[in-house]
Amino acid sequence: MAGDTDRLRRLADQAVVCGVGESAYGRRLGRSAIDLAADAIQAAVADAGLTKGDIDGMAVTFGSPLGADADTLAFALGLELKAYNQTWAHGRFTGTALQWAAMTVAAGLADVVACLAAVSFTGVRRLRVGGGGDREGAREGGGGHGEDPVYGMTSPGAGAALMARKYMARHGATAEDLAAVPISLRHNATLNPLAMYSEPLTLQAYLGARHVAEPLRIFDYCQVNDGAACVLVTTPERAADLAQPPVYLGGMQGLPAGRHEFIWAYPGFGTAQQIETDWTPGPQPVHRMAGVTPADIDAFFTYDAFSPLVWLALERWGFCGIGEVWQFTADGRIQVGGELPVNTNGGLLSEAHIMAWNHQVEIVRQLRGQCGERQVAGAEVIQWGNVYGDSLIYHR
Amino acid sequence: MSDYLKPLPPITNLSKPYWDSLQEGALRMPQCQACSLIFYPPAPLCPGCWSRDLTWAALSGRGTVNSWVVFHQAYLKGYDNEVPFNVTEVTLDEGPRLMTNLVGIDNDDIRVDMPVQVVFDAVTDEVTLAKFAPLPGWSPEGGTP
């Protein structure tokens, strides 16, 4: 075990974020994904005090048809890249891209890697995630989120609803309890001028809203929008004389797959073909690598495409016991000002759905102390951790 | 020409014996001859031990509800007049889980862990789907007598 920790620690603090930026966020902006990506990259470069020629690496997590591909971006922006990488068009690869960028700069394959996604969800005529164009659900063995259109099971949100129903039945939680997640994140969004939705959400309004895939209501679903956000990763040495204080990538944990995993549940929960076991999360590799425990985390950020994902992520990363999170998220505990602020930007639920690159931008600004009204006082250590099992620990 | 509008399964060489079994009024899934694991979806080799010595085992058709959702929005062709409809995940007694629809029950009466059994729904001349119904005698209040 000590040997494992030594190996993990080799990459700790070998990469930093030196710049962040975003485009406008909104519906039907009437601008292409490349156009939006350019805004985000230019803003991040300016934030860092760099220039165009300094960008020599790129990691994109969401390409065409709803986003912009890395090679196309390099051409359109006139970049000369030494290394680029692009993952499948899904939200879950944000951490993977940042980990690749950290390894790339630490190994000297590139100096400054622009990590980003641009999305144009409303710029295409038909949403192709779920619904009539559910090619992924129709693939052999079904879709990764539990989709099986033959039985009407389409859209990733339905997979999250399946998991939420099971969780509620097993642990006695209710829709009223789940409401605390979108209500808390909406509260955070009221403090964020960039957020698409900043009207407070009441329990009455939540419960009165229509179901989509029951037990989930419309407020349990993320935004569908256009926009881009970018994070620049470099080495601590390169960052030393740049415009912003560096934010370190202190811990990492890769994206797992296998028969203990279902994208919307922790290991052993027993959804889709996932093996059902009694799983108790202890300290995870990301904690050992960063030399911290869950008690040291000042704020937590997670992929909140659907509100139940926040619940199971909090349990997976050890902030409360298995079966307890519906009590943990009550009483404003995950709001700005609460015991563990979660997604202080308002998240995918209320700020915007930029594949959670907007969350990475917010984490960096929190650690620089640039978040104004929603600043987490004295924030030093922030975790990005997902229900699907990957994580990053950032620190000042 | 079928008037069935809902999506039909992609039937591949790998999955054809499964769909054929439903056409014949049976539920068969791949079983490893080396380690006995019954698994789904079909794969070219056993995910337990990598043996390629596979056969198709007839299952009991019995299982329990693992979880379910009720769609209130019609995303797919053929569902406009069906909302609200359930999509249910059944854990078969032999282990694998199947996405399906429960029939012969009100959506409000579905419960986690309720016992169910397969029924065969020939939706077209070529395709029969495995759907599930409550085990006879089961009720949401009283369970199974």
Side-chain angles (χ1 to χ4, degrees):
Chain A
M1 192 67 96
D4 288 350
T5 301
D6 288 346
R7 280 187 62 206
L8 276 172
R9 288 200 56 81
R10 263 188 236 162
L11 198 58
D13 299 335
Q14 297 304 300
V16 300
V17 175
C18 64
V20 295
E22 68 271 289
S23 72
Y25 301 151
R27 288 178 66 81
R28 298 185 184 87
L29 294 178
R31 298 174 60 194
S32 72
I34 289 176
D35 188 359
L36 296 166
D39 269 4
I41 294 168
Q42 287 181 289
V45 167
D47 179 60
L50 290 167
T51 59
K52 172 175 176 267
D54 294 317
I55 305 300
D56 62 356
M58 184 177 285
V60 167
T61 61
F62 197 85
S64 58
L66 297 172
D69 295 322
D71 50 357
T72 314
L73 282 172
F75 188 82
L77 274 69
L79 299 173
E80 299 294 333
L81 303 180
K82 290 180 186 159
Y84 78 90
N85 196 349
Q86 181 168 326
T87 62
W88 194 16
H90 274 280
R92 61 183 172 274
F93 299 105
T94 309
T96 301
L98 284 162
Q99 291 168 7
W100 178 82
M103 291 182 247
T104 295
V105 298
L109 297 176
D111 287 329
V112 182
V113 180
C115 304
L116 72 146
V119 296
S120 179
F121 281 125
T122 67
V124 288
R125 273 189 52 209
R126 232 192 173 149
L127 190 61
R128 288 179 209 174
V129 183
D134 190 355
R135 291 176 193 279
E136 197 176 316
R139 71 187 181 178
E140 197 162 76
H145 314 95
E147 301 98 326
D148 192 342
V150 173
Y151 292 99
M153 183 70 179
T154 190
S155 90
L162 198 71
M163 177 273 279
R165 173 84 75 187
K166 183 168 183 178
Y167 185 92
M168 289 173 174
R170 184 185 280 185
H171 299 300
T174 65
E176 285 84 345
D177 300 317
L178 183 60
V181 173
I183 289 171
S184 298
L185 268 55
R186 181 60 64 86
H187 170 80
N188 295 348
T190 65
L191 307 173
N192 178 6
L194 290 172
M196 287 175 59
Y197 291 85
S198 52
E199 287 296 309
L201 176 63
T202 64
L203 179 61
Q204 191 185 15
Y206 173 87
L207 292 172
R210 68 182 174 91
H211 281 117
V212 183
E214 189 184 348
L216 302 191
R217 291 175 166 82
I218 191 76
F219 290 114
D220 294 309
Y221 284 69
C222 62
Q223 301 307 323
V224 175
N225 53 247
D226 305 344
C230 177
V231 168
L232 302 182
V233 173
T234 190
T235 59
E237 296 75 23
R238 183 75 177 83
D241 56 353
L242 296 183
Q244 297 284 353
V247 169
Y248 289 82
L249 295 171
M252 299 176 198
Q253 190 163 334
L255 181 60
R259 302 206 76 199
H260 283 88
E261 298 286 348
F262 171 61
I263 178 169
W264 298 149
Y266 53 68
F269 192 72
T271 311
Q273 298 297 329
Q274 194 191 49
I275 291 165
E276 193 163 357
T277 55
D278 289 329
W279 185 71
T280 310
Q284 301 289 304
V286 70
H287 298 122
R288 292 209 306 276
M289 182 169 167
V292 300
T293 71
D296 298 316
I297 306 295
D298 297 313
F300 179 69
F301 285 71
T302 193
Y303 195 77
D304 58 326
F306 312 106
S307 45
L309 310 189
V310 175
W311 268 3
L312 269 69
L314 286 163
E315 291 193 359
R316 180 166 196 152
W317 297 104
F319 294 103
C320 60
I322 295 290
E324 295 174 358
V325 74
W326 57 279
Q327 293 159 304
F328 183 86
T329 50
D331 305 323
R333 196 170 282 114
I334 64 168
Q335 291 180 188
V336 171
E339 188 180 307
L340 181 72
V342 172
N343 293 359
T344 58
N345 55 342
L348 304 177
L349 288 169
S350 281
E351 186 190 38
H353 187 341
I354 314 294
M355 296 294 140
W357 288 102
N358 49 326
H359 297 43
Q360 315 311 313
V361 167
E362 176 82 355
I363 290 169
V364 170
R365 290 192 178 132
Q366 283 286 356
L367 290 169
R368 293 177 183 168
Q370 297 172 340
C371 283
E373 271 192 282
R374 62 186 191 285
Q375 179 64 44
V376 176
E380 291 184 1
V381 182
I382 296 183
Q383 182 177 12
W384 167 250
N386 294 308
V387 61
Y388 41 82
D390 76 316
S391 184
L392 291 163
I393 290 179
Y394 293 77
H395 70 89
R396 282 208 295 225
Chain B
M1 192 64 190
S2 170
D3 57 1
Y4 186 77
L5 297 175
K6 295 172 184 171
L8 288 166
I11 298 178
T12 63
N13 288 342
L14 207 56
S15 64
K16 190 168 185 302
Y18 170 76
W19 297 104
D20 286 349
S21 77
L22 300 182
Q23 285 276 76
E24 295 162 17
L27 179 62
R28 289 194 288 268
M29 287 189 172
Q31 181 169 29
C32 176
Q33 297 284 66
C35 75
S36 303
L37 182 71
I38 296 172
F39 59 91
Y40 189 85
L45 74 178
C46 171
C49 71
W50 285 4
S51 169
R52 287 179 180 260
D53 188 6
L54 307 176
T55 186
W56 286 82
L59 308 192
S60 64
R62 297 261 182 112
T64 54
V65 168
N66 188 44
S67 190
W68 83 99
V69 302
V70 176
F71 275 79
H72 291 257
Q73 186 166 323
Y75 288 93
L76 297 165
K77 218 182 252 187
Y79 281 93
D80 290 342
N81 299 318
E82 304 243 340
V83 288
F85 67 93
N86 76 74
V87 180
T88 301
E89 190 176 77
V90 167
T91 305
L92 298 169
D93 285 357
E94 293 84 358
R97 296 195 191 95
L98 265 188
M99 206 61 82
T100 187
N101 307 120
L102 285 199
V103 297
I105 185 170
D106 287 342
N107 291 336
D108 289 343
D109 290 339
I110 303 173
R111 299 286 183 273
V112 164
D113 291 337
M114 68 177 282
V116 294
Q117 66 180 33
V118 71
V119 293
F120 299 98
D121 185 1
V123 297
T124 69
D125 288 345
E126 295 79 30
V127 175
T128 297
L129 301 181
K131 298 191 175 174
F132 284 77
L135 209 59
W138 181 86
S139 74
E141 297 78 28
T144 308

PDB file of all heavy atoms in Angstrom, chain A residues 316-332:
ATOM      1  N   ARG A 316     -20.461   8.327  -2.314  1.00  0.00           N
ATOM      2  CA  ARG A 316     -19.294   7.636  -2.864  1.00  0.00           C
ATOM      3  C   ARG A 316     -17.985   8.224  -2.335  1.00  0.00           C
ATOM      4  O   ARG A 316     -17.005   7.498  -2.129  1.00  0.00           O
ATOM      5  CB  ARG A 316     -19.318   7.703  -4.389  1.00  0.00           C
ATOM      6  CG  ARG A 316     -18.136   6.996  -5.024  1.00  0.00           C
ATOM      7  CD  ARG A 316     -18.297   6.752  -6.515  1.00  0.00           C
ATOM      8  NE  ARG A 316     -17.301   5.763  -6.913  1.00  0.00           N
ATOM      9  CZ  ARG A 316     -17.416   4.916  -7.922  1.00  0.00           C
ATOM     10  NH1 ARG A 316     -18.492   4.939  -8.679  1.00  0.00           N
ATOM     11  NH2 ARG A 316     -16.470   4.038  -8.184  1.00  0.00           N
ATOM     12  N   TRP A 317     -17.968   9.545  -2.155  1.00  0.00           N
ATOM     13  CA  TRP A 317     -16.723  10.203  -1.742  1.00  0.00           C
ATOM     14  C   TRP A 317     -16.633  10.410  -0.240  1.00  0.00           C
ATOM     15  O   TRP A 317     -15.771  11.141   0.250  1.00  0.00           O
ATOM     16  CB  TRP A 317     -16.518  11.494  -2.550  1.00  0.00           C
ATOM     17  CG  TRP A 317     -16.379  11.129  -3.996  1.00  0.00           C
ATOM     18  CD1 TRP A 317     -17.320  11.263  -4.979  1.00  0.00           C
ATOM     19  CD2 TRP A 317     -15.273  10.454  -4.617  1.00  0.00           C
ATOM     20  NE1 TRP A 317     -16.863  10.724  -6.165  1.00  0.00           N
ATOM     21  CE2 TRP A 317     -15.618  10.232  -5.973  1.00  0.00           C
ATOM     22  CE3 TRP A 317     -14.015  10.013  -4.156  1.00  0.00           C
ATOM     23  CZ2 TRP A 317     -14.747   9.580  -6.872  1.00  0.00           C
ATOM     24  CZ3 TRP A 317     -13.158   9.382  -5.063  1.00  0.00           C
ATOM     25  CH2 TRP A 317     -13.524   9.180  -6.393  1.00  0.00           C
ATOM     26  N   GLY A 318     -17.530   9.739   0.495  1.00  0.00           N
ATOM     27  CA  GLY A 318     -17.343   9.601   1.931  1.00  0.00           C
ATOM     28  C   GLY A 318     -17.758  10.787   2.787  1.00  0.00           C
ATOM     29  O   GLY A 318     -17.314  10.907   3.925  1.00  0.00           O
ATOM     30  N   PHE A 319     -18.648  11.657   2.271  1.00  0.00           N
ATOM     31  CA  PHE A 319     -19.085  12.802   3.086  1.00  0.00           C
ATOM     32  C   PHE A 319     -20.181  12.413   4.072  1.00  0.00           C
ATOM     33  O   PHE A 319     -20.482  13.157   4.998  1.00  0.00           O
ATOM     34  CB  PHE A 319     -19.547  13.950   2.193  1.00  0.00           C
ATOM     35  CG  PHE A 319     -18.421  14.528   1.382  1.00  0.00           C
ATOM     36  CD1 PHE A 319     -18.279  14.221   0.042  1.00  0.00           C
ATOM     37  CD2 PHE A 319     -17.471  15.341   1.987  1.00  0.00           C
ATOM     38  CE1 PHE A 319     -17.226  14.734  -0.698  1.00  0.00           C
ATOM     39  CE2 PHE A 319     -16.403  15.861   1.251  1.00  0.00           C
ATOM     40  CZ  PHE A 319     -16.280  15.553  -0.095  1.00  0.00           C
ATOM     41  N   CYS A 320     -20.792  11.255   3.850  1.00  0.00           N
ATOM     42  CA  CYS A 320     -21.769  10.722   4.792  1.00  0.00           C
ATOM     43  C   CYS A 320     -21.834   9.222   4.528  1.00  0.00           C
ATOM     44  O   CYS A 320     -21.215   8.733   3.577  1.00  0.00           O
ATOM     45  CB  CYS A 320     -23.144  11.376   4.600  1.00  0.00           C
ATOM     46  SG  CYS A 320     -23.824  11.120   2.967  1.00  0.00           S
ATOM     47  N   GLY A 321     -22.576   8.506   5.359  1.00  0.00           N
ATOM     48  CA  GLY A 321     -22.642   7.060   5.193  1.00  0.00           C
ATOM     49  C   GLY A 321     -23.574   6.666   4.043  1.00  0.00           C
ATOM     50  O   GLY A 321     -24.395   7.470   3.585  1.00  0.00           O
ATOM     51  N   ILE A 322     -23.451   5.425   3.594  1.00  0.00           N
ATOM     52  CA  ILE A 322     -24.347   4.890   2.575  1.00  0.00           C
ATOM     53  C   ILE A 322     -25.776   4.894   3.121  1.00  0.00           C
ATOM     54  O   ILE A 322     -26.026   4.412   4.233  1.00  0.00           O
ATOM     55  CB  ILE A 322     -23.914   3.454   2.193  1.00  0.00           C
ATOM     56  CG1 ILE A 322     -22.533   3.472   1.531  1.00  0.00           C
ATOM     57  CG2 ILE A 322     -24.959   2.763   1.320  1.00  0.00           C
ATOM     58  CD1 ILE A 322     -22.484   4.075   0.149  1.00  0.00           C
ATOM     59  N   GLY A 323     -26.692   5.481   2.376  1.00  0.00           N
ATOM     60  CA  GLY A 323     -28.096   5.534   2.805  1.00  0.00           C
ATOM     61  C   GLY A 323     -28.445   6.770   3.618  1.00  0.00           C
ATOM     62  O   GLY A 323     -29.589   6.936   4.030  1.00  0.00           O
ATOM     63  N   GLU A 324     -27.461   7.641   3.825  1.00  0.00           N
ATOM     64  CA  GLU A 324     -27.699   8.804   4.698  1.00  0.00           C
ATOM     65  C   GLU A 324     -27.791  10.138   3.973  1.00  0.00           C
ATOM     66  O   GLU A 324     -28.100  11.167   4.581  1.00  0.00           O
ATOM     67  CB  GLU A 324     -26.555   8.921   5.725  1.00  0.00           C
ATOM     68  CG  GLU A 324     -26.486   7.762   6.689  1.00  0.00           C
ATOM     69  CD  GLU A 324     -25.253   7.820   7.597  1.00  0.00           C
ATOM     70  OE1 GLU A 324     -24.422   8.746   7.447  1.00  0.00           O
ATOM     71  OE2 GLU A 324     -25.127   6.919   8.442  1.00  0.00           O
ATOM     72  N   VAL A 325     -27.497  10.146   2.669  1.00  0.00           N
ATOM     73  CA  VAL A 325     -27.300  11.447   2.018  1.00  0.00           C
ATOM     74  C   VAL A 325     -28.580  12.271   1.935  1.00  0.00           C
ATOM     75  O   VAL A 325     -28.532  13.501   1.919  1.00  0.00           O
ATOM     76  CB  VAL A 325     -26.671  11.266   0.617  1.00  0.00           C
ATOM     77  CG1 VAL A 325     -27.673  10.733  -0.393  1.00  0.00           C
ATOM     78  CG2 VAL A 325     -26.073  12.583   0.130  1.00  0.00           C
ATOM     79  N   TRP A 326     -29.729  11.623   1.888  1.00  0.00           N
ATOM     80  CA  TRP A 326     -30.982  12.383   1.791  1.00  0.00           C
ATOM     81  C   TRP A 326     -31.198  13.210   3.049  1.00  0.00           C
ATOM     82  O   TRP A 326     -31.898  14.229   3.016  1.00  0.00           O
ATOM     83  CB  TRP A 326     -32.160  11.470   1.514  1.00  0.00           C
ATOM     84  CG  TRP A 326     -32.350  10.375   2.514  1.00  0.00           C
ATOM     85  CD1 TRP A 326     -31.681   9.185   2.562  1.00  0.00           C
ATOM     86  CD2 TRP A 326     -33.267  10.366   3.605  1.00  0.00           C
ATOM     87  NE1 TRP A 326     -32.121   8.436   3.630  1.00  0.00           N
ATOM     88  CE2 TRP A 326     -33.099   9.132   4.285  1.00  0.00           C
ATOM     89  CE3 TRP A 326     -34.219  11.282   4.072  1.00  0.00           C
ATOM     90  CZ2 TRP A 326     -33.850   8.791   5.410  1.00  0.00           C
ATOM     91  CZ3 TRP A 326     -34.968  10.938   5.200  1.00  0.00           C
ATOM     92  CH2 TRP A 326     -34.782   9.703   5.849  1.00  0.00           C
ATOM     93  N   GLN A 327     -30.581  12.815   4.161  1.00  0.00           N
ATOM     94  CA  GLN A 327     -30.612  13.656   5.358  1.00  0.00           C
ATOM     95  C   GLN A 327     -29.492  14.693   5.306  1.00  0.00           C
ATOM     96  O   GLN A 327     -29.666  15.834   5.714  1.00  0.00           O
ATOM     97  CB  GLN A 327     -30.476  12.786   6.613  1.00  0.00           C
ATOM     98  CG  GLN A 327     -31.690  11.889   6.807  1.00  0.00           C
ATOM     99  CD  GLN A 327     -31.403  10.682   7.685  1.00  0.00           C
ATOM    100  OE1 GLN A 327     -30.495   9.893   7.407  1.00  0.00           O
ATOM    101  NE2 GLN A 327     -32.186  10.545   8.738  1.00  0.00           N
ATOM    102  N   PHE A 328     -28.338  14.273   4.740  1.00  0.00           N
ATOM    103  CA  PHE A 328     -27.177  15.174   4.646  1.00  0.00           C
ATOM    104  C   PHE A 328     -27.488  16.417   3.821  1.00  0.00           C
ATOM    105  O   PHE A 328     -27.053  17.525   4.153  1.00  0.00           O
ATOM    106  CB  PHE A 328     -25.992  14.410   4.035  1.00  0.00           C
ATOM    107  CG  PHE A 328     -24.720  15.201   3.957  1.00  0.00           C
ATOM    108  CD1 PHE A 328     -23.849  15.252   5.040  1.00  0.00           C
ATOM    109  CD2 PHE A 328     -24.386  15.898   2.804  1.00  0.00           C
ATOM    110  CE1 PHE A 328     -22.675  15.997   4.970  1.00  0.00           C
ATOM    111  CE2 PHE A 328     -23.212  16.642   2.722  1.00  0.00           C
ATOM    112  CZ  PHE A 328     -22.354  16.691   3.808  1.00  0.00           C
ATOM    113  N   THR A 329     -28.234  16.243   2.712  1.00  0.00           N
ATOM    114  CA  THR A 329     -28.461  17.385   1.813  1.00  0.00           C
ATOM    115  C   THR A 329     -29.583  18.318   2.294  1.00  0.00           C
ATOM    116  O   THR A 329     -29.860  19.323   1.643  1.00  0.00           O
ATOM    117  CB  THR A 329     -28.779  16.912   0.374  1.00  0.00           C
ATOM    118  OG1 THR A 329     -29.803  15.921   0.402  1.00  0.00           O
ATOM    119  CG2 THR A 329     -27.539  16.352  -0.298  1.00  0.00           C
ATOM    120  N   ALA A 330     -30.208  18.002   3.419  1.00  0.00           N
ATOM    121  CA  ALA A 330     -31.274  18.859   3.956  1.00  0.00           C
ATOM    122  C   ALA A 330     -30.673  20.089   4.645  1.00  0.00           C
ATOM    123  O   ALA A 330     -29.460  20.183   4.833  1.00  0.00           O
ATOM    124  CB  ALA A 330     -32.110  18.059   4.956  1.00  0.00           C
ATOM    125  N   ASP A 331     -31.539  21.012   5.004  1.00  0.00           N
ATOM    126  CA  ASP A 331     -31.181  22.148   5.870  1.00  0.00           C
ATOM    127  C   ASP A 331     -30.091  23.063   5.309  1.00  0.00           C
ATOM    128  O   ASP A 331     -29.312  23.647   6.076  1.00  0.00           O
ATOM    129  CB  ASP A 331     -30.746  21.635   7.269  1.00  0.00           C
ATOM    130  CG  ASP A 331     -31.807  20.742   7.901  1.00  0.00           C
ATOM    131  OD1 ASP A 331     -33.005  21.043   7.705  1.00  0.00           O
ATOM    132  OD2 ASP A 331     -31.441  19.750   8.566  1.00  0.00           O
ATOM    133  N   GLY A 332     -29.998  23.139   3.999  1.00  0.00           N
ATOM    134  CA  GLY A 332     -29.045  24.084   3.403  1.00  0.00           C
ATOM    135  C   GLY A 332     -27.586  23.682   3.537  1.00  0.00           C
ATOM    136  O   GLY A 332     -26.691  24.502   3.293  1.00  0.00           O
TER     137      GLY A 332
END
